[in-house]
């Protein structure tokens, strides 16, 4: 098989069980998903359906209880700079300036100082924070912090960016701007993105594919390719039709339970 | 034209400290801070000049004695012009004992905070030792280190030890776990995380521990110098007590207070400079 045909990420029959003192939690049950290079995939579903768990398995923070998680056909053994994570609460290093936060990865990998500086300059500019290069995280707004977090993984040559409700804590206007900027970066760089969200609109606005998950135990309910042309218009009838269909899939689970 | 030149970049607005305070705004903290000492001084003055007590000298007498203590020329007794000698002796013990305490407490705290086995071995023991006050160690310290400066040094060291240790442990243990995940997905794993994540993240706590430790070192210096040292502010206070020279006692107290305060301010200034990234750390 040609190299280019190998998917960047393969999740094969992955289950994850958490054992607490008196109970076991089936956070993820028999999940299968294949992600190809350059795809923008959104994970969506009710709280507790295992979205974060799936993302953390791809990141390498958690190991599957059973099944396989592969990147380029090789098992994911632990966290790695090729898979960058963007957390909802930013997780910036508060003692480092914007510049040094973005340079943290390149410096950790032992790149020469001038190379680190050049890389940092490029990505600070990409996310529009050049004026704030020497500011500390506590001096930034939420939107700016999340820009730093995104630049931080991009500067580290991440091939795939994993985002767990990255814009969930932001106000609507900032969120829309960051969505546009993220799409812009994605289209320019050929990045692969896995994006967890609670918002159907956000998922339809961003994704090539929307993966709907359901809880109890966490399962993948359906995998929905979107054929809407970009840039997408949230007010268009096509957009609303997709929203209606996905909304129905998302809520069918609750319906079944109630019936 | 003017518009363009005066409009600052947004960064300047949020990053710079507010400028252009009025003179009153500038003086206000000093004025407010002087109210309570001023009232106390007034009360002291009234109480002593009206002879409510005969055992306490007036502020004026103490002031006069303080000058004699510092530079001599008024009473010319055994204590005249000896302030600097005593102050230096005490400072040597305070900073020496503090430095020795930090030398032990910092690595121990980092170890207990990071290594579970070290924690299980040492933590229970230290928790039992901690409530024993420095004063209770006085007799044992005199047996172990003899009467004199070594005993004083040891007690100061002991007093500064626990705050540094406990705050270091706390700092190391309360690092946000997300930061470890962030570091490891950025390629900083294993032992490198100790220097790049644990130490900087724990720095505010460590700093608080050092500050408290130095404060306590000044606090216990009198007890430490009760062990029969010839020089030091604690010795002066003890001598003042045995000689019933209350003005000497009060002078010693005031100097310890001021020296401790200045020393704390310096530490806070260093801290503010080193921890300017920390929104909560401005003393
Ligand atoms: N480290 C853990 N230990 C024990 N249980 C866990 C752990 N992590 C997740 N779980 C459990 O696994 C289930 C799935 O959690 P997960 O965080 O993946 O859900 P989620 O879809 O991300 O939810 P949300 O939308 O609220 O973020 C939940 O029941 C949760 O309590
Ligand atoms: Mg989650």
């Amino acid at each position: 098989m040609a190299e280019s045909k190998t998917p960047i990420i393969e999740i094969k029959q992955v289950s994850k069980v958490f054992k607490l003192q008196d109970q076991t939690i089936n956070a993820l049950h028999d999940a299968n998903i294949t992600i190809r290079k350059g795809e923008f995939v959104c994970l969506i579903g009710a709280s507790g359906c295992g979205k974060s768990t799936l993302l953390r398995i791809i990141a390498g923070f958690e190991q599957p209880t059973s099944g396989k998680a592969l990147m380029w056909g090789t098992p994911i053994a632990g966290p790695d700079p090729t898979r960058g994570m963007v957390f909802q609460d930013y997780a910036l290093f508060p003692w480092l300036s914007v510049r040094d936060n973005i340079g943290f990865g390149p410096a950790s990998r032992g790149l020469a100082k001038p190379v680190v500086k050049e890389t940092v300059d490029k990505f600070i500019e990409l996310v529009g924070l050049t004026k704030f290069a020497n500011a500390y995280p506590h001096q930034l707004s939420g939107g700016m912090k999340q820009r730093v977090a995104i630049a931080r993984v991009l500067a580290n040559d991440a091939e795939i960016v994993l985002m767990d409700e990255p814009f969930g804590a932001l106000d609507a206007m900032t969120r829309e701007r960051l969505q546009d900027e993220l799409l812009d970066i994605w289209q320019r760089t050929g990045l692969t993105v896995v994006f967890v969200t609670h918002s159907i609109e956000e998922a339809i606005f961003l994704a090539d594919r929307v993966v709907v998950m359901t809880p109890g135990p966490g399962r993948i309910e359906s995998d929905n390719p979107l054929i809407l042309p970009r840039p997408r218009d949230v007010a268009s009838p096509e957009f609303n039709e997709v929203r209606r269909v996905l909304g129905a899939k998302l809520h069918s689970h609750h319906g079944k339970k109630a019936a | 034209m003017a518009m363009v030149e005066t409009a600052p970049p947004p960064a300047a607005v949020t990053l710079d400290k507010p400028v252009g305070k009025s003179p009153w705004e500038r003086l206000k903290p000093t004025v407010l801070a002087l109210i309570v000492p001023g009232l106390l001084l007034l009360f002291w003055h009234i109480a002593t000049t009206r002879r409510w007590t005969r055992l306490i000298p007036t502020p004026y007498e103490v002031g006069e004695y303080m000058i004699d203590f510092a530079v001599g020329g008024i009473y010319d007794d055994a204590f005249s012009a000896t302030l600097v000698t005593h102050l230096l002796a005490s400072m040597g013990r305070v900073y020496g004992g503090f430095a020795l305490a930090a030398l032990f407490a910092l690595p121990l705290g980092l170890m207990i905070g990071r290594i579970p086995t070290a924690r299980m071995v040492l933590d229970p023991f230290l928790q039992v030792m901690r409530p024993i006050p420095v004063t209770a160690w006085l007799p044992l310290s005199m047996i172990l280190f003899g009467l004199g400066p070594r005993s004083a040094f040891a007690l100061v060291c002991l007093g500064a030890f626990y705050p540094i240790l406990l705050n270091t442990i706390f700092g190391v243990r309360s690092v946000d776990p997300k930061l470890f995940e962030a570091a490891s997905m950025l390629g900083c794993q294993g032992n490198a995380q100790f220097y790049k994540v644990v130490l900087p993240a724990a720095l505010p706590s460590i700093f608080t521990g050092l500050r408290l430790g130095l404060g306590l070192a000044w606090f216990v210096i009198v007890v430490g110098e009760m062990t029969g040292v010839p020089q030091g502010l604690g010795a002066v206070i003890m001598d003042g007590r045995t000689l019933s020279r209350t003005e000497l006692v009060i002078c010693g107290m005031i100097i310890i207070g001021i020296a401790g305060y200045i020393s704390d301010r310096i530490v806070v200034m260093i801290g503010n400079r080193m921890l300017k990234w920390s929104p909560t750390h401005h003393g």
Side-chain angles (χ1 to χ4, degrees), chain A residues 56 79 81 85 95 138 156, chain B residues 178 181 185-186 189 196 277:
Chain A
R56 292 172 56 79
M85 184 91 168
W95 57 88
H138 81 270
N156 211 16
Chain B
K178 273 267 160 58
E181 292 189 344
M185 67 96 185
L186 291 169
Q189 298 178 348
K196 293 198 115 184
W277 55 267

Side-chain angles (χ1 to χ4, degrees), chain B residues 41-117:
Chain B
L41 204 64
L42 189 69
F43 176 75
W44 178 11
H45 176 74
I46 293 170
T48 47
T49 48
R50 298 219 172 154
R51 302 276 164 199
W52 292 350
T53 164
R54 290 171 183 279
L55 295 176
I56 297 175
T58 64
Y60 180 76
E61 286 164 344
V62 171
E64 204 178 45
Y65 195 81
M66 184 73 95
I67 293 170
D68 183 66
F69 189 33
V71 294
I74 302 176
Y75 300 103
D76 283 322
D77 58 19
F79 292 98
S80 297
T82 57
L83 190 153
V84 175
T85 318
H86 291 298
L87 180 62
L88 285 180
S90 287
M91 276 171 63
R93 283 169 205 137
V94 165
Y95 290 111
F98 167 76
L100 192 68
L103 201 68
F104 281 106
L106 287 176
L108 201 61
L110 294 173
M111 227 169 69
I112 294 176
R114 276 297 272 179
I115 309 167
T117 318

Side-chain angles (χ1 to χ4, degrees), chain B residues 13-189:
Chain B
V13 179
T14 47
L15 298 182
D16 286 356
K17 287 192 175 153
V19 285
K21 282 186 184 173
S22 71
W24 163 239
E25 284 293 308
R26 234 180 267 267
L27 281 175
K28 195 174 160 192
T30 318
V31 172
L32 292 183
L34 286 175
I35 291 177
V36 174
L39 287 176
L40 187 68
L41 204 64
L42 189 69
F43 176 75
W44 178 11
H45 176 74
I46 293 170
T48 47
T49 48
R50 298 219 172 154
R51 302 276 164 199
W52 292 350
T53 164
R54 290 171 183 279
L55 295 176
I56 297 175
T58 64
Y60 180 76
E61 286 164 344
V62 171
E64 204 178 45
Y65 195 81
M66 184 73 95
I67 293 170
D68 183 66
F69 189 33
V71 294
I74 302 176
Y75 300 103
D76 283 322
D77 58 19
F79 292 98
S80 297
T82 57
L83 190 153
V84 175
T85 318
H86 291 298
L87 180 62
L88 285 180
S90 287
M91 276 171 63
R93 283 169 205 137
V94 165
Y95 290 111
F98 167 76
L100 192 68
L103 201 68
F104 281 106
L106 287 176
L108 201 61
L110 294 173
M111 227 169 69
I112 294 176
R114 276 297 272 179
I115 309 167
T117 318
R119 179 156 62 245
M120 286 187 277
V121 171
L122 292 169
D123 199 55
F125 172 70
L126 290 167
Q127 294 299 341
V128 172
M129 297 297 274
R130 192 168 63 95
I132 304 173
V134 173
T135 37
W137 281 100
L138 191 66
L140 258 190
S141 165
M142 295 198 319
I143 294 170
L144 288 172
F145 300 106
L147 283 169
R150 288 210 316 188
S151 218
F153 196 85
L155 290 174
V156 168
C157 181
L158 193 67
F161 180 77
Y162 289 106
I164 303 177
L165 179 80
L166 295 181
N167 281 283
T168 304
I169 297 174
F170 174 79
V172 169
R173 295 205 63 190
S174 48
V175 182
D176 182 359
K178 273 267 160 58
L179 295 181
F180 291 115
E181 292 189 344
S184 54
M185 67 96 185
L186 291 169
C188 169
Q189 298 178 348

Side-chain angles (χ1 to χ4, degrees), chain A residues 9-18 25-34 49-59 62-71 75-76 213 217-220:
Chain A
I9 297 289
E10 285 167 282
I11 299 295
K12 292 182 171 173
Q13 287 146 24
V14 163
S15 297
K16 180 72 186 176
V17 180
F18 288 108
I25 297 169
N26 291 307
L28 207 56
H29 181 74
D30 194 19
N32 290 286
I33 182 170
T34 300
C49 66
K51 305 183 293 293
S52 297
T53 304
L54 179 55
L55 208 65
R56 292 172 56 79
I57 286 173
I58 299 175
E62 309 274 2
Q63 289 296 319
T65 310
S66 63
K68 279 193 196 134
L70 309 172
M71 179 170 183
I76 294 169
M213 297 178 68
R219 284 183 306 106
I220 291 181

